[in-house]
Amino acid sequence: MGNTLDNVYKYQSLAYKYFLYLASVVLIVFFFPKGGKFKYEFQKGKPWQYENLYAPIDFSLKKTAEELEEERKSIEDNKTNFYSYDATVPAEIKQSIEAELSQIFGQREIGRSTQNRIRNSALGAIDSIYAFGIFQESPSSDAIFLVKNNEALTLGSNSYTNLSDAKQKTRALLNSTNFQRDIPLASILTRLLEPNVFYDKALTDKALADELSRISLTRGEVSEGTQIIAKGEVVEGDNHKMLFSLKEEYESELWRGDNYFYILLGYTILVALVLMMLFLFIKRYRPEIFKNNNKLTFIFFNILLMVLATTLMVKNQESYVYVVPLCILPLILKNFFDARLGLFVHVLTVLILGFVVPNSFEYIFLQIIAGIVTILTASELYKRANLFISVGQITLIYILGYFAFHIIHEGNLESIEWILFGIFVLNGLLTLFAQPLIYIYEKIFGLISDVSLLELSDTNSKLLKELSNKAPGTFHHSLQVANLAEAAANEIGANAMLVRVGALYHDIGKMNNPAYFTENQTTNINPHDDLPPKESAKIIIDHVIEGIETARKNKLPDRVIDFIRTHHGTTLVFYFFKKQQELEASVNEEDFRYPGPIPFSKETAILMMSDAVEAASKSLKNPTYQLIDGFVEKIVEGQMQANQFVNANITLKEIEIVKKVLKRKLTNIYHLRVEYPE
C-alpha cells in the first residue's frame, strides 16, 4: 500500500512538472505578437550585409512616424475654424427697436410716413449690420466657415465685424439721415447691438478629426520582384523606407493567412526548446529544486511575469521597452537560490524576448551584460546600501551600452536620444521594487530570503529571548554552535546566514524540559538519576519533536525547521543506550534512536557536525590541541560511519575543511596554542 502511494505521489509530481512546462510554453506563445518575424536585421546608415533583396510580395510603402506626424501637424496648423450664426439675436434686437420707437412715436407728433421711414431705416440698418453677424471675438484666420441657416459660408478677413466695428458702421449709416435730429436712432441701435457669431469648437474638432482620419498611412505600392536593396548598399533613404515597410508587413497581424499556423508552430518550437534547456539544467545541477514543485512554479512564474511585461510594452510603446526592469529576475533568483541559477534563467528569458523586441541583438547584448553585473554586484541585500549600489551600476551599464551602440550606428552624438537615459534611470528605480517583491514572494511561495534570515538571527526576537530565559545554557550552546557553523559554511561556500539561523533555533525544543539537559543544570542534582534510561532517552529525543511544534507555532520558515528536524539525524542517544544495556542484555535500538531524517543539504550537515562537536567539547577536562583534534575526528568519523551525510550534497573534501575549521575555532575558544617540539 505504501509503495502504491509513493508511486502515485511520484507520478503526480511528474505530471505537474509536465503541466507547468506545457502551460508556460502556451502562455509565452500567447503573449507573443501574432504576426511573423522579419528574418533580416538592418540598421539605418549601415551596409546591407545580405544578398540582393527583392520584394517577395506586393506591399504598401508606409510613411514613417515622422512623416505622419509632420502631415498631422500641417493639417492641425491649417485647420478650418467654424463659427455658428445665432439668428435669434437680430430678431430680438428688432423687437426691442420696435418697442422703443412705438413709445417715442406715442410721445411725439410724427407723421405716419415719417414713422415708417424711421422704422424702415432702423430695421434696414440691423439687416445690413447682421448680414454676416457680429463676432464675439475677431477670428485670427484669414478665412473661416460661418454656419448660417444650416449652410457653411466662407468668409474672408474683410467680412469680420466685431461689436466695436458694428457700432461705428451703425453711426455711419444713420447719422446722415434727416430725422436724426428728432430721434437719436443711432444711439438707440448702438445701445441694443449684441454679438451673435460664436466659435463652434465641437464642429471645428469634428471637421479636424475627419481631416486627420483621411491621412493615408501609405505613399505608394511596391510590386513583387522589385529590387529593394543590393548587397553592400547603405541602408538609407528610400531603401530604408522600403525595408521598414516590408518588415512591418511581415510582422503585421493582417499578413497572416495560411502562414499563421506555421508562425505559431515556429514560436512554439523555439520557446519549448528554451524552457526544455531550463528544465534539464535544473534537473541535473539543482535536483533539490527540481524535486520541489513550489520552487519550480516560482521560477516559471517570474519568467512569465517578465515576458508578459515586456511583450505588453512592445505592443503598446516599443520605444520604452527598456523601462521593464528585467534585472529584477536574476536579483530575486540569486536571493532565493544561487547566482548560477539566477544568471542561467535570466539569459534564457532574454533569448525568449529576443524574438519580439526591436533591435534584438542590441537588446540581448545589453540585457545579458546587465544581468551579469546584477549577479556580480548584488549581494547581502539585507544591507540597504547594497541594493542601491547594485542598481546604480546596472543603470550605468545600460547607459554606457546604449552610448556605445549609438556611436557605432550613427558615428556622431548629434542625434542621441536623451530620453533613453531617463528610461534607463526609471528602469533602475523600478528595480528597487525587488525588496518589497521579495517580501511578497516569501508570503506567497513560502520561501525565505537573507532579509528574513537577518530578522530571525536577532537574539532579541521573542522566541530566542524566551529560550535565553528558560534555558540559558541551551541558548549559550546555540550561540556557540552558530559561530562554529557559520565559520564552516563560509569556508565551503554554503549559505552561512541560513546555517547560523538554523543553529540558533535548533534546540528550542529544550525549553519545555530545560533541567533534563546538562547545559542547563546549575546544581549537582540530575533529574535523570531518578528515571530509567529508556524514559530519559525519550525526553532527550522528544526535544526534536517539541522543537518542530514550537517552531511551527511561532511560524518559523520550513527551511529553518529543517535544521531542528535533522540536527541529530538518526543517531543513537548513546549514553542512555549503554546504561540500558547494563540493565538488560537485549535492547531495542529504536527506543534510543532519533527519528530523523538525516541531513539533506550542506547546511544541515554542517550543523550536525558543529552541534555534536560543541556539545562534546564541554566534557573535555584539560583540552589540548591534540585532544581537540582527536575528538573532532572521532565524532565526525562516527557520523559518517552511521551514514548521516549520504543524502547531503557535501563532499569528503568539504567535510575535511569543516573539520579543520571546527578544530581551529575550538582551539581559539580554549585559548590553546600548538605545542611545538623542543
Side-chain angles (χ1 to χ4, degrees), residues 169-202:
K169 187 176 180 180
T170 301
R171 293 189 188 96
L173 287 172
L174 298 177
N175 281 339
S176 59
T177 56
N178 54 10
F179 48 79
Q180 180 66 19
R181 288 169 295 177
D182 300 322
I183 298 176
L185 195 57
S187 299
I188 295 173
L189 263 64
T190 54
R191 176 168 49 82
L192 294 176
L193 290 179
E194 291 181 12
N196 76 319
V197 178
F198 306 96
Y199 178 66
D200 194 332
K201 186 177 185 305

Side-chain angles (χ1 to χ4, degrees), residues 105 110-119 179 182-183:
F105 293 158
I110 300 175
R112 176 70 62 181
S113 60
T114 303
Q115 290 181 16
N116 289 335
R117 282 194 302 108
I118 293 173
R119 185 178 289 107
F179 48 79
D182 300 322
I183 298 176

Side-chain angles (χ1 to χ4, degrees), residues 278-295:
L278 177 58
F279 256 109
L280 293 176
F281 174 85
I282 295 174
K283 184 177 181 181
R284 179 164 184 174
Y285 297 105
R286 300 294 183 273
E288 70 282 359
I289 296 177
F290 186 78
K291 294 174 185 176
N292 191 319
N293 286 337
N294 181 56
K295 292 179 179 178

